[in-house]
PDB file of all heavy atoms in Angstrom:
ATOM      1  N   ALA A  78     228.269  73.668  36.134  1.00 97.00           N
ATOM      2  CA  ALA A  78     227.251  74.441  36.867  1.00 97.00           C
ATOM      3  C   ALA A  78     226.024  73.551  36.973  1.00 97.00           C
ATOM      4  O   ALA A  78     225.137  73.579  36.115  1.00 97.00           O
ATOM      5  CB  ALA A  78     226.926  75.734  36.132  1.00 97.00           C
ATOM      6  N   PHE A  79     225.994  72.726  38.005  1.00 96.00           N
ATOM      7  CA  PHE A  79     224.940  71.743  38.158  1.00 96.00           C
ATOM      8  C   PHE A  79     224.058  72.072  39.360  1.00 96.00           C
ATOM      9  O   PHE A  79     224.520  72.651  40.352  1.00 96.00           O
ATOM     10  CB  PHE A  79     225.526  70.349  38.331  1.00 96.00           C
ATOM     11  CG  PHE A  79     226.245  69.836  37.104  1.00 96.00           C
ATOM     12  CD1 PHE A  79     227.497  69.253  37.218  1.00 96.00           C
ATOM     13  CD2 PHE A  79     225.672  69.937  35.843  1.00 96.00           C
ATOM     14  CE1 PHE A  79     228.163  68.777  36.104  1.00 96.00           C
ATOM     15  CE2 PHE A  79     226.327  69.473  34.721  1.00 96.00           C
ATOM     16  CZ  PHE A  79     227.579  68.887  34.844  1.00 96.00           C
ATOM     17  N   GLY A  80     222.799  71.653  39.274  1.00 95.00           N
ATOM     18  CA  GLY A  80     221.886  71.826  40.400  1.00 95.00           C
ATOM     19  C   GLY A  80     221.828  73.264  40.864  1.00 95.00           C
ATOM     20  O   GLY A  80     221.537  74.185  40.084  1.00 95.00           O
ATOM     21  N   GLY A  81     222.156  73.483  42.123  1.00 95.00           N
ATOM     22  CA  GLY A  81     222.136  74.827  42.681  1.00 95.00           C
ATOM     23  C   GLY A  81     223.091  75.777  41.987  1.00 95.00           C
ATOM     24  O   GLY A  81     222.873  76.993  42.003  1.00 95.00           O
ATOM     25  N   GLY A  82     224.139  75.240  41.361  1.00 96.00           N
ATOM     26  CA  GLY A  82     225.047  76.102  40.603  1.00 96.00           C
ATOM     27  C   GLY A  82     224.369  76.733  39.407  1.00 96.00           C
ATOM     28  O   GLY A  82     224.556  77.925  39.126  1.00 96.00           O
ATOM     29  N   LEU A  83     223.551  75.937  38.688  1.00 97.00           N
ATOM     30  CA  LEU A  83     222.791  76.508  37.576  1.00 97.00           C
ATOM     31  C   LEU A  83     221.680  77.404  38.100  1.00 97.00           C
ATOM     32  O   LEU A  83     221.397  78.461  37.514  1.00 97.00           O
ATOM     33  CB  LEU A  83     222.218  75.400  36.697  1.00 97.00           C
ATOM     34  CG  LEU A  83     221.365  75.865  35.505  1.00 97.00           C
ATOM     35  CD1 LEU A  83     222.092  76.901  34.647  1.00 97.00           C
ATOM     36  CD2 LEU A  83     220.926  74.679  34.654  1.00 97.00           C
ATOM     37  N   GLU A  84     221.048  77.024  39.206  1.00 97.00           N
ATOM     38  CA  GLU A  84     220.011  77.879  39.781  1.00 97.00           C
ATOM     39  C   GLU A  84     220.578  79.245  40.145  1.00 97.00           C
ATOM     40  O   GLU A  84     219.908  80.272  39.975  1.00 97.00           O
ATOM     41  CB  GLU A  84     219.390  77.207  41.003  1.00 97.00           C
ATOM     42  CG  GLU A  84     218.530  76.006  40.651  1.00 97.00           C
ATOM     43  CD  GLU A  84     217.914  75.354  41.863  1.00 97.00           C
ATOM     44  OE1 GLU A  84     218.667  74.854  42.725  1.00 97.00           O
ATOM     45  OE2 GLU A  84     216.669  75.325  41.967  1.00 97.00           O
ATOM     46  N   LEU A  85     221.801  79.272  40.643  1.00 97.00           N
ATOM     47  CA  LEU A  85     222.463  80.541  40.923  1.00 97.00           C
ATOM     48  C   LEU A  85     222.623  81.352  39.645  1.00 97.00           C
ATOM     49  O   LEU A  85     222.298  82.543  39.594  1.00 97.00           O
ATOM     50  CB  LEU A  85     223.832  80.273  41.555  1.00 97.00           C
ATOM     51  CG  LEU A  85     224.803  81.450  41.702  1.00 97.00           C
ATOM     52  CD1 LEU A  85     224.208  82.536  42.581  1.00 97.00           C
ATOM     53  CD2 LEU A  85     226.131  80.969  42.274  1.00 97.00           C
ATOM     54  N   ALA A  86     223.104  80.719  38.580  1.00 98.00           N
ATOM     55  CA  ALA A  86     223.318  81.424  37.314  1.00 98.00           C
ATOM     56  C   ALA A  86     222.006  81.919  36.711  1.00 98.00           C
ATOM     57  O   ALA A  86     221.973  82.971  36.060  1.00 98.00           O
ATOM     58  CB  ALA A  86     224.032  80.509  36.326  1.00 98.00           C
ATOM     59  N   LEU A  87     220.919  81.187  36.934  1.00 98.00           N
ATOM     60  CA  LEU A  87     219.625  81.592  36.384  1.00 98.00           C
ATOM     61  C   LEU A  87     219.116  82.888  37.000  1.00 98.00           C
ATOM     62  O   LEU A  87     218.240  83.546  36.426  1.00 98.00           O
ATOM     63  CB  LEU A  87     218.585  80.483  36.588  1.00 98.00           C
ATOM     64  CG  LEU A  87     218.765  79.216  35.750  1.00 98.00           C
ATOM     65  CD1 LEU A  87     217.759  78.150  36.178  1.00 98.00           C
ATOM     66  CD2 LEU A  87     218.621  79.519  34.255  1.00 98.00           C
ATOM     67  N   CYS A  88     219.660  83.268  38.147  1.00 97.00           N
ATOM     68  CA  CYS A  88     219.244  84.513  38.786  1.00 97.00           C
ATOM     69  C   CYS A  88     219.927  85.731  38.194  1.00 97.00           C
ATOM     70  O   CYS A  88     219.538  86.869  38.483  1.00 97.00           O
ATOM     71  CB  CYS A  88     219.531  84.457  40.283  1.00 97.00           C
ATOM     72  SG  CYS A  88     218.594  83.189  41.136  1.00 97.00           S
ATOM     73  N   ALA A  89     220.957  85.510  37.389  1.00 98.00           N
ATOM     74  CA  ALA A  89     221.638  86.620  36.730  1.00 98.00           C
ATOM     75  C   ALA A  89     220.786  87.141  35.580  1.00 98.00           C
ATOM     76  O   ALA A  89     219.941  86.428  35.026  1.00 98.00           O
ATOM     77  CB  ALA A  89     223.004  86.170  36.219  1.00 98.00           C
ATOM     78  N   ASP A  90     221.031  88.379  35.200  1.00 98.00           N
ATOM     79  CA  ASP A  90     220.332  88.952  34.049  1.00 98.00           C
ATOM     80  C   ASP A  90     220.869  88.390  32.739  1.00 98.00           C
ATOM     81  O   ASP A  90     220.126  88.253  31.768  1.00 98.00           O
ATOM     82  CB  ASP A  90     220.481  90.477  34.062  1.00 98.00           C
ATOM     83  CG  ASP A  90     219.872  91.100  35.298  1.00 98.00           C
ATOM     84  OD1 ASP A  90     218.639  91.017  35.458  1.00 98.00           O
ATOM     85  OD2 ASP A  90     220.623  91.652  36.124  1.00 98.00           O
ATOM     86  N   LEU A  91     222.164  88.100  32.722  1.00 98.00           N
ATOM     87  CA  LEU A  91     222.822  87.576  31.537  1.00 98.00           C
ATOM     88  C   LEU A  91     223.772  86.459  31.943  1.00 98.00           C
ATOM     89  O   LEU A  91     224.392  86.525  33.008  1.00 98.00           O
ATOM     90  CB  LEU A  91     223.606  88.681  30.814  1.00 98.00           C
ATOM     91  CG  LEU A  91     222.799  89.879  30.315  1.00 98.00           C
ATOM     92  CD1 LEU A  91     223.726  91.021  29.916  1.00 98.00           C
ATOM     93  CD2 LEU A  91     221.905  89.478  29.154  1.00 98.00           C
ATOM     94  N   ARG A  92     223.913  85.445  31.065  1.00 98.00           N
ATOM     95  CA  ARG A  92     224.793  84.317  31.333  1.00 98.00           C
ATOM     96  C   ARG A  92     225.748  84.125  30.158  1.00 98.00           C
ATOM     97  O   ARG A  92     225.302  83.951  29.022  1.00 98.00           O
ATOM     98  CB  ARG A  92     223.975  83.030  31.552  1.00 98.00           C
ATOM     99  CG  ARG A  92     223.328  82.932  32.918  1.00 98.00           C
ATOM    100  CD  ARG A  92     222.137  81.991  32.920  1.00 98.00           C
ATOM    101  NE  ARG A  92     221.068  82.526  32.073  1.00 98.00           N
ATOM    102  CZ  ARG A  92     220.242  83.486  32.430  1.00 98.00           C
ATOM    103  NH1 ARG A  92     220.340  84.031  33.622  1.00 98.00           N
ATOM    104  NH2 ARG A  92     219.322  83.922  31.587  1.00 98.00           N
ATOM    105  N   VAL A  93     227.044  84.149  30.477  1.00 98.00           N
ATOM    106  CA  VAL A  93     228.107  83.943  29.499  1.00 98.00           C
ATOM    107  C   VAL A  93     228.878  82.703  29.923  1.00 98.00           C
ATOM    108  O   VAL A  93     229.226  82.563  31.101  1.00 98.00           O
ATOM    109  CB  VAL A  93     229.053  85.153  29.436  1.00 98.00           C
ATOM    110  CG1 VAL A  93     230.182  84.905  28.457  1.00 98.00           C
ATOM    111  CG2 VAL A  93     228.285  86.421  29.076  1.00 98.00           C
ATOM    112  N   ALA A  94     229.164  81.801  28.984  1.00 98.00           N
ATOM    113  CA  ALA A  94     229.856  80.570  29.362  1.00 98.00           C
ATOM    114  C   ALA A  94     230.951  80.234  28.367  1.00 98.00           C
ATOM    115  O   ALA A  94     230.831  80.491  27.168  1.00 98.00           O
ATOM    116  CB  ALA A  94     228.873  79.404  29.453  1.00 98.00           C
ATOM    117  N   GLY A  95     231.999  79.643  28.896  1.00 98.00           N
ATOM    118  CA  GLY A  95     233.038  79.096  28.051  1.00 98.00           C
ATOM    119  C   GLY A  95     232.543  77.843  27.347  1.00 98.00           C
ATOM    120  O   GLY A  95     231.635  77.156  27.831  1.00 98.00           O
ATOM    121  N   ALA A  96     233.145  77.529  26.229  1.00 97.00           N
ATOM    122  CA  ALA A  96     232.662  76.436  25.380  1.00 97.00           C
ATOM    123  C   ALA A  96     232.721  75.075  26.057  1.00 97.00           C
ATOM    124  O   ALA A  96     232.026  74.139  25.630  1.00 97.00           O
ATOM    125  CB  ALA A  96     233.472  76.411  24.084  1.00 97.00           C
ATOM    126  N   GLU A  97     233.529  74.918  27.077  1.00 97.00           N
ATOM    127  CA  GLU A  97     233.628  73.633  27.759  1.00 97.00           C
ATOM    128  C   GLU A  97     232.763  73.564  29.016  1.00 97.00           C
ATOM    129  O   GLU A  97     232.840  72.586  29.770  1.00 97.00           O
ATOM    130  CB  GLU A  97     235.085  73.342  28.103  1.00 97.00           C
ATOM    131  CG  GLU A  97     235.963  73.164  26.864  1.00 97.00           C
ATOM    132  CD  GLU A  97     237.415  72.884  27.189  1.00 97.00           C
ATOM    133  OE1 GLU A  97     237.743  72.788  28.408  1.00 97.00           O
ATOM    134  OE2 GLU A  97     238.219  72.770  26.252  1.00 97.00           O
ATOM    135  N   ALA A  98     231.933  74.578  29.247  1.00 97.00           N
ATOM    136  CA  ALA A  98     231.034  74.559  30.402  1.00 97.00           C
ATOM    137  C   ALA A  98     229.991  73.465  30.236  1.00 97.00           C
ATOM    138  O   ALA A  98     229.601  73.100  29.117  1.00 97.00           O
ATOM    139  CB  ALA A  98     230.352  75.908  30.564  1.00 97.00           C
ATOM    140  N   ARG A  99     229.536  72.931  31.364  1.00 97.00           N
ATOM    141  CA  ARG A  99     228.470  71.921  31.385  1.00 97.00           C
ATOM    142  C   ARG A  99     227.444  72.357  32.425  1.00 97.00           C
ATOM    143  O   ARG A  99     227.805  72.778  33.530  1.00 97.00           O
ATOM    144  CB  ARG A  99     229.042  70.545  31.741  1.00 97.00           C
ATOM    145  CG  ARG A  99     229.974  69.977  30.677  1.00 97.00           C
ATOM    146  CD  ARG A  99     230.803  68.823  31.211  1.00 97.00           C
ATOM    147  NE  ARG A  99     231.749  69.285  32.217  1.00 97.00           N
ATOM    148  CZ  ARG A  99     231.900  68.726  33.422  1.00 97.00           C
ATOM    149  NH1 ARG A  99     231.145  67.709  33.790  1.00 97.00           N
ATOM    150  NH2 ARG A  99     232.784  69.199  34.270  1.00 97.00           N
ATOM    151  N   LEU A 100     226.164  72.251  32.051  1.00 97.00           N
ATOM    152  CA  LEU A 100     225.107  72.786  32.900  1.00 97.00           C
ATOM    153  C   LEU A 100     223.955  71.805  33.003  1.00 97.00           C
ATOM    154  O   LEU A 100     223.704  71.036  32.073  1.00 97.00           O
ATOM    155  CB  LEU A 100     224.573  74.104  32.328  1.00 97.00           C
ATOM    156  CG  LEU A 100     225.562  75.212  31.990  1.00 97.00           C
ATOM    157  CD1 LEU A 100     225.994  75.112  30.535  1.00 97.00           C
ATOM    158  CD2 LEU A 100     224.960  76.568  32.245  1.00 97.00           C
ATOM    159  N   GLY A 101     223.230  71.858  34.106  1.00 97.00           N
ATOM    160  CA  GLY A 101     222.037  71.043  34.225  1.00 97.00           C
ATOM    161  C   GLY A 101     221.392  71.130  35.581  1.00 97.00           C
ATOM    162  O   GLY A 101     222.067  71.339  36.596  1.00 97.00           O
ATOM    163  N   LEU A 102     220.079  70.987  35.587  1.00 97.00           N
ATOM    164  CA  LEU A 102     219.331  70.806  36.830  1.00 97.00           C
ATOM    165  C   LEU A 102     219.188  69.304  37.013  1.00 97.00           C
ATOM    166  O   LEU A 102     218.302  68.674  36.429  1.00 97.00           O
ATOM    167  CB  LEU A 102     217.970  71.510  36.744  1.00 97.00           C
ATOM    168  CG  LEU A 102     218.026  73.037  36.624  1.00 97.00           C
ATOM    169  CD1 LEU A 102     216.615  73.626  36.542  1.00 97.00           C
ATOM    170  CD2 LEU A 102     218.785  73.663  37.791  1.00 97.00           C
ATOM    171  N   VAL A 103     220.049  68.727  37.808  1.00 96.00           N
ATOM    172  CA  VAL A 103     220.218  67.272  37.873  1.00 96.00           C
ATOM    173  C   VAL A 103     219.564  66.648  39.110  1.00 96.00           C
ATOM    174  O   VAL A 103     219.782  65.477  39.417  1.00 96.00           O
ATOM    175  CB  VAL A 103     221.723  66.921  37.848  1.00 96.00           C
ATOM    176  CG1 VAL A 103     222.352  67.408  36.556  1.00 96.00           C
ATOM    177  CG2 VAL A 103     222.452  67.547  39.038  1.00 96.00           C
ATOM    178  N   GLU A 104     218.749  67.417  39.806  1.00 95.00           N
ATOM    179  CA  GLU A 104     218.254  66.981  41.109  1.00 95.00           C
ATOM    180  C   GLU A 104     217.404  65.716  41.061  1.00 95.00           C
ATOM    181  O   GLU A 104     217.433  64.916  42.007  1.00 95.00           O
ATOM    182  CB  GLU A 104     217.454  68.118  41.769  1.00 95.00           C
ATOM    183  CG  GLU A 104     218.315  69.250  42.318  1.00 95.00           C
ATOM    184  CD  GLU A 104     218.617  70.331  41.280  1.00 95.00           C
ATOM    185  OE1 GLU A 104     218.369  70.083  40.074  1.00 95.00           O
ATOM    186  OE2 GLU A 104     219.096  71.397  41.678  1.00 95.00           O
ATOM    187  N   THR A 105     216.609  65.507  40.000  1.00 96.00           N
ATOM    188  CA  THR A 105     215.749  64.321  39.987  1.00 96.00           C
ATOM    189  C   THR A 105     216.559  63.025  39.988  1.00 96.00           C
ATOM    190  O   THR A 105     216.052  61.983  40.407  1.00 96.00           O
ATOM    191  CB  THR A 105     214.789  64.338  38.782  1.00 96.00           C
ATOM    192  OG1 THR A 105     215.540  64.435  37.566  1.00 96.00           O
ATOM    193  CG2 THR A 105     213.805  65.493  38.886  1.00 96.00           C
ATOM    194  N   ALA A 106     217.811  63.084  39.539  1.00 95.00           N
ATOM    195  CA  ALA A 106     218.675  61.898  39.616  1.00 95.00           C
ATOM    196  C   ALA A 106     219.007  61.541  41.057  1.00 95.00           C
ATOM    197  O   ALA A 106     219.423  60.414  41.343  1.00 95.00           O
ATOM    198  CB  ALA A 106     219.967  62.134  38.831  1.00 95.00           C
ATOM    199  N   LEU A 107     218.827  62.499  41.967  1.00 92.00           N
ATOM    200  CA  LEU A 107     219.056  62.276  43.393  1.00 92.00           C
ATOM    201  C   LEU A 107     217.742  62.144  44.157  1.00 92.00           C
ATOM    202  O   LEU A 107     217.716  62.220  45.382  1.00 92.00           O
ATOM    203  CB  LEU A 107     219.876  63.429  43.980  1.00 92.00           C
ATOM    204  CG  LEU A 107     221.283  63.605  43.395  1.00 92.00           C
ATOM    205  CD1 LEU A 107     221.891  64.918  43.876  1.00 92.00           C
ATOM    206  CD2 LEU A 107     222.172  62.431  43.782  1.00 92.00           C
ATOM    207  N   ALA A 108     216.641  61.971  43.403  1.00 94.00           N
ATOM    208  CA  ALA A 108     215.306  61.794  43.990  1.00 94.00           C
ATOM    209  C   ALA A 108     214.812  63.039  44.715  1.00 94.00           C
ATOM    210  O   ALA A 108     213.992  62.943  45.636  1.00 94.00           O
ATOM    211  CB  ALA A 108     215.262  60.580  44.912  1.00 94.00           C
ATOM    212  N   ILE A 109     215.291  64.216  44.294  1.00 92.00           N
ATOM    213  CA  ILE A 109     214.770  65.484  44.796  1.00 92.00           C
ATOM    214  C   ILE A 109     214.437  66.354  43.580  1.00 92.00           C
ATOM    215  O   ILE A 109     214.555  65.897  42.432  1.00 92.00           O
ATOM    216  CB  ILE A 109     215.771  66.204  45.728  1.00 92.00           C
ATOM    217  CG1 ILE A 109     217.121  66.424  45.018  1.00 92.00           C
ATOM    218  CG2 ILE A 109     215.961  65.423  47.018  1.00 92.00           C
ATOM    219  CD1 ILE A 109     218.130  67.215  45.833  1.00 92.00           C
ATOM    220  N   ILE A 110     214.013  67.581  43.799  1.00 94.00           N
ATOM    221  CA  ILE A 110     213.737  68.497  42.695  1.00 94.00           C
ATOM    222  C   ILE A 110     214.549  69.770  42.889  1.00 94.00           C
ATOM    223  O   ILE A 110     215.017  70.051  43.994  1.00 94.00           O
ATOM    224  CB  ILE A 110     212.232  68.840  42.587  1.00 94.00           C
ATOM    225  CG1 ILE A 110     211.779  69.727  43.762  1.00 94.00           C
ATOM    226  CG2 ILE A 110     211.391  67.580  42.487  1.00 94.00           C
ATOM    227  CD1 ILE A 110     210.387  70.318  43.576  1.00 94.00           C
ATOM    228  N   PRO A 111     214.734  70.549  41.842  1.00 95.00           N
ATOM    229  CA  PRO A 111     215.367  71.860  42.029  1.00 95.00           C
ATOM    230  C   PRO A 111     214.538  72.668  43.024  1.00 95.00           C
ATOM    231  O   PRO A 111     213.344  72.869  42.804  1.00 95.00           O
ATOM    232  CB  PRO A 111     215.337  72.477  40.626  1.00 95.00           C
ATOM    233  CG  PRO A 111     215.234  71.313  39.690  1.00 95.00           C
ATOM    234  CD  PRO A 111     214.403  70.298  40.424  1.00 95.00           C
ATOM    235  N   GLY A 112     215.179  73.117  44.098  1.00 92.00           N
ATOM    236  CA  GLY A 112     214.418  73.766  45.161  1.00 92.00           C
ATOM    237  C   GLY A 112     214.817  75.195  45.440  1.00 92.00           C
ATOM    238  O   GLY A 112     214.291  75.806  46.361  1.00 92.00           O
ATOM    239  N   ALA A 113     215.763  75.726  44.643  1.00 94.00           N
ATOM    240  CA  ALA A 113     216.210  77.108  44.858  1.00 94.00           C
ATOM    241  C   ALA A 113     215.815  77.991  43.683  1.00 94.00           C
ATOM    242  O   ALA A 113     216.537  78.915  43.317  1.00 94.00           O
ATOM    243  CB  ALA A 113     217.715  77.148  45.087  1.00 94.00           C
ATOM    244  N   GLY A 114     214.671  77.665  43.091  1.00 96.00           N
ATOM    245  CA  GLY A 114     214.131  78.501  42.026  1.00 96.00           C
ATOM    246  C   GLY A 114     214.207  77.920  40.636  1.00 96.00           C
ATOM    247  O   GLY A 114     213.644  78.487  39.700  1.00 96.00           O
TER     248      GLY A 114
END
């Protein structure tokens, strides 16, 4: 759940994840910023 995928999850009231999930707002590595909240 990277970039916009994590931004989508952040809009939920609750977040449940499996132990092998990986998450991050990775936009600065692409020279942009998280732009969907």
Side-chain angles (χ1 to χ4, degrees):
F79 294 133
L83 179 52
E84 289 180 297
L85 169 61
L87 290 173
C88 296
D90 299 295
L91 300 167
R92 283 157 295 282
V93 178
E97 295 180 2
R99 293 164 293 130
L100 308 92
L102 295 180
V103 299
E104 286 88 347
T105 57
L107 298 170
I109 56 176
I110 70 169

